[in-house]
Amino acid sequence: MESSTASAAAQAIVAALVQAGTRLMFGVPGGGPNLDVIGAAEAAGLRFVLAHGETAATIMAATSADLTGVPGSVVVTRGPGLASAVNGIAHAALDRLPVLVIADTVPAADADRISHQRIDQTALGRSVAKAAVTVAGPAAAAGAVAIALAAPAGPVVANMDDSAADQDGRSGRGRAENGVEAQTLRAAEDTAARAGRAVLAEAVRAARRPVVLLGTGAIPRTAAVRDALAGRGIPALHTYRARGVLPDSAAEAAGLVTGGTTEWPLLSAADLVVGLGVDEAEMIPARWDYPARTILVTEPGAVPVNQPPGGWFTGATALSMPIAAAAGVLAAQASRPPGPDWPPDAGRAARQDAARRLAAVAVAAPGRLAPQQVVAAARACAPPETIATVDAGAHMLVTMPLWEVPEPGRLLVSSGLATMGYALPAAIAAALCLPQTQGAPQAPVLAFTGDGGLGMTLAEIETAVRLSLRVIVIVFNDAALSLIEIKQRPAGQGGEEAVRYRRVSFAAAAAAMGAAGAAVTSERELAAALADALARPGPTVIDAAVDPACYPAVMNLSRGQAGRRSVPGISRAPHLKEHAR
């Protein structure tokens, strides 16, 4: 580490991040203490990335943590800076991503005389983050990083105050690693795992039509899950964040589980549902009332203390055991005669049927594109290793099921919070995290966003330009909050003024900030714009004029009655009663 004149607290927090493997720091700095952190980071070899907004910077930090597994870091000023970062912190909290939010604060020594920009940052931080701690030196800094990383991971607000005592904030938090308490904990976990294996083995042995739900917790065990399910005839549904645990080319890959009705054909015919690493924060607020027995397997310590598993999955049995061991039980029992009774390729049949139905409702007026056409053209043009980020909105209901991936980490979304304004900041961070070849990322990054979401983060186009990142932003531009418009009642909830904007040329806005911009109204124009963008070293914004006419039908297929459909080749299990919601 080069010599630095930064404060003790700044040097301590940076040293703790370096020790944990962090290499990127994002932020919007305020005064001197913030700049001390940035100076210490640069002296230690960390790259600082200046963003335009604190929530965008925090989403960038969370995405870097998501892709690298090491803590993300973001610098914000006190008062308005931390308050502005809250949405990004909430995203990191609900997607269980370790992020250190390094905030300037009114020093405790000056609290009696300073009111300007002074808010209760500890209370604010604790309302959305995993913890809020005061950092004055090495002990507190190391403790803050450890809290962020401890399962379940999450964001920690680190209020920087050199005038405070240096205290480790881990007291009473996290898992004991040494001593009698740790030995007792491990013994209890071993006992729970043995009991869990027996329960799971008996359930799988008795089942004829099991279905597996793959959640975020299965991602670190991807190899074990793939080995266990390959060729076993058990369909596997993925949550948004778990996409790619099984490649979409696999026969067992059955599409999405969100709590909607896309997954109904398989789950209504199943006699056992086994969740591996499923986080209930990913499920939309619907009812789980499938008749099959449900078993949820989570790694020890993976579930927040205030959210015991099984609350959303009504009547589920919760097992705490290693996911790799659970996958082994599935493989062993499924291999025993008579084995699963699903038709051949039931998973692939369900996924392809859902895709066909989405494509069938695509409609577009002349001079407009259907959202399905946008996704299909982008997937056809982009190489398989492309990373795609997806904003919340109506376009998400089309993009998530139709964008195929070969492995985890290639399709990123804000799942637990489902915040708009995610896709562009996440794409910037993804491009910075990708391996570089001759100064350029080895794979392109696509950001799928609506006009509403891009409007929230438009200035970050300049960030991508300044950093010369090959980020391709595809805007589903219909000048509306289309998902909200679908939910709007004909009377009593406002009219167009509540959900519609003036049409904006995002291509022109991009050009004004130094990016390439293209406005497209046809598949031919879109394909040409994508080809140009993929050949370009810097960012491109493709402003796609889309027709929102299909969105009500898409919503009905995803979350409504149309999703409860018969799928050729997947008959309802004869012993199950009619399932209705």
Side-chain angles (χ1 to χ4, degrees):
M1 182 183 292
E2 298 177 11
S3 61
S4 172
T5 60
S7 68
Q11 294 195 50
I13 200 73
V14 168
L17 286 167
V18 170
Q19 180 68 28
T22 302
R23 293 294 177 264
L24 289 169
M25 181 177 285
F26 303 88
V28 183
N34 273 176
L35 297 175
D36 273 351
V37 174
I38 294 171
E42 291 181 341
L46 273 68
R47 181 181 183 181
F48 178 74
V49 177
L50 175 65
H52 285 268
E54 289 86 356
T55 272
T58 307
I59 289 172
M60 292 176 194
T63 303
S64 72
D66 200 5
L67 291 174
T68 66
V70 303
S73 64
V74 59
V75 172
V76 299
T77 193
R78 70 192 187 193
L82 181 60
S84 181
V86 164
N87 193 58
I89 298 170
H91 156 69
L94 289 179
D95 277 0
R96 322 301 181 201
L97 299 171
V99 175
L100 215 60
V101 184
I102 305 166
D104 185 18
T105 188
V106 174
D110 295 329
D112 289 341
R113 67 178 189 85
I114 295 178
S115 296
H116 181 65
Q117 291 188 329
R118 192 188 78 195
I119 59 176
D120 190 339
Q121 295 190 180
T122 298
L124 177 63
R126 286 175 178 166
S127 70
V128 288
K130 190 176 179 183
V133 301
T134 298
V135 172
V145 171
I147 293 170
L149 286 169
V156 172
V157 173
N159 293 308
M160 307 297 289
D161 185 358
D162 279 290
S163 73
D166 182 23
Q167 296 179 339
D168 189 334
R170 281 176 286 183
S171 177
R173 296 178 183 272
R175 292 164 55 86
E177 299 296 336
N178 300 294
V180 174
E181 184 181 352
Q183 292 176 1
T184 302
L185 177 61
R186 282 192 286 271
E189 289 175 351
D190 289 344
T191 299
R194 284 194 297 272
R197 287 188 186 93
V199 170
L200 184 59
E202 181 182 5
V204 178
R205 190 161 50 244
R208 299 303 311 281
R209 289 195 165 188
V211 172
V212 171
L213 311 182
L214 297 173
T216 316
I219 294 175
R221 308 290 179 254
T222 291
V225 171
R226 288 185 174 189
D227 287 346
L229 295 182
R232 309 290 181 192
I234 302 176
L237 295 158
H238 294 68
T239 65
Y240 277 168
R241 281 177 41 74
R243 285 289 303 281
V245 171
L246 295 186
D248 283 320
S249 59
E252 294 78 16
L256 290 168
V257 57
T258 66
T261 54
T262 300
E263 57 265 33
W264 184 88
L266 282 172
L267 294 180
S268 65
D271 59 3
L272 175 67
V273 179
V274 179
L276 300 181
V278 175
D279 190 329
E280 296 178 0
E282 288 205 74
M283 298 294 110
I284 65 171
R287 292 178 58 203
W288 178 267
D289 55 2
Y290 292 103
R293 181 182 183 184
T294 302
I295 296 176
L296 302 176
V297 178
T298 56
E299 296 270 358
V303 179
V305 174
N306 62 352
Q307 183 192 306
W312 188 88
F313 291 91
T314 306
T317 300
L319 302 179
S320 178
M321 60 187 293
I323 286 173
V329 171
L330 280 167
Q333 297 303 321
S335 299
R336 297 177 58 175
D341 188 35
W342 289 106
D345 291 351
R348 178 180 287 136
R351 180 170 53 81
Q352 290 179 343
D353 179 78
R356 281 193 298 268
R357 289 174 183 265
L358 280 175
V361 299
V363 293
R368 294 286 183 267
L369 285 157
Q372 294 91 328
Q373 293 174 307
V374 175
V375 179
R379 181 65 284 183
C381 292
E385 67 272 16
T386 298
I387 292 180
T389 65
V390 185
D391 235 350
H395 66 278
M396 178 185 71
L397 301 179
V398 174
T399 308
M400 292 303 296
L402 295 183
W403 188 266
E404 296 190 347
V405 293
E407 61 187 359
R410 298 290 167 178
L411 184 59
L412 306 179
V413 67
S414 173
S415 188
L417 188 64
T419 182
M420 293 170 66
Y422 167 85
L424 177 54
I428 289 170
L432 290 168
C433 290
L434 280 167
Q436 306 283 307
T437 300
Q438 295 180 344
Q442 291 179 355
V445 180
L446 267 62
F448 291 103
T449 181
D451 47 84
L454 185 57
M456 295 177 181
T457 56
L458 189 63
E460 302 304 339
I461 293 173
E462 186 280 330
T463 306
V465 172
R466 176 171 18 102
L467 300 176
S468 300
L469 299 177
R470 186 168 58 148
V471 169
I472 303 169
V473 181
I474 300 178
V475 191
F476 295 74
N477 191 352
D478 57 9
L481 298 176
S482 293
L483 185 59
I484 309 307
E485 190 171 23
I486 294 169
K487 301 176 183 180
Q488 189 181 39
R489 290 197 296 266
Q493 293 191 326
E496 286 191 358
E497 71 279 1
V499 293
R500 292 209 155 268
Y501 300 110
R502 281 187 77 250
R503 190 165 291 278
V504 171
S505 172
F506 290 103
M513 284 184 274
V520 301
T521 61
S522 68
E523 289 177 284
R524 181 182 58 80
E525 292 176 349
L526 176 56
L530 283 164
D532 290 343
L534 289 165
R536 189 176 289 122
T540 302
V541 174
I542 299 176
D543 188 342
V546 298
D547 189 334
C550 76
Y551 283 142
V554 169
M555 183 69 144
N556 198 13
L557 283 169
S558 303
R559 300 180 181 180
Q561 194 62 37
R564 301 182 180 95
R565 63 202 186 276
S566 297
V567 175
I570 302 176
S571 59
R572 193 183 306 275
H575 61 281
L576 293 179
K577 295 180 180 179
E578 178 70 16
H579 174 69
R581 295 192 185 194

